[in-house]
Amino acid sequence: TGLCYLHLKGHYGNVLTLTQLPDGRLVSGSSDKTICFWNINTGKIEKRLTGHNGPVRIVLALSDGRLVSA
């Protein structure tokens, strides 16, 4: 339809990567050095991961359910 369905707010920097998990959640990585797990029904952050020393440029979901990020 060309209409915005949901606006996700929560990162403090630019979003550099986005991937969808098999359960439907979205995972984003940002220049703010964090990874966020999003509930796409509510638009709320379910979990925020910290620990990167620089921007998170890629997040991949592995077939065994784990994530890798760089």
Side-chain angles (χ1 to χ4, degrees):
T1 65
L3 299 175
C4 179
Y5 174 73
L6 193 60
H7 189 144
L8 303 176
K9 292 183 179 182
H11 279 294
Y12 302 106
N14 296 327
V15 173
L16 304 175
T17 185
L18 185 68
T19 191
Q20 186 174 20
L21 300 178
D23 65 8
R25 289 181 297 164
L26 294 177
V27 179
S28 57
S30 171
S31 62
D32 66 9
K33 306 176 187 176
T34 66
I35 295 171
C36 291
F37 290 74
W38 301 89
N39 180 311
I40 59 171
N41 295 312
T42 65
K44 304 290 184 190
I45 295 174
E46 293 182 340
K47 185 185 303 185
R48 181 186 309 269
L49 302 179
T50 60
H52 275 272
N53 293 323
V56 181
R57 299 188 186 278
I58 190 164
V59 176
L60 297 173
L62 301 178
S63 60
D64 65 4
R66 293 181 298 163
L67 291 178
V68 293
S69 59

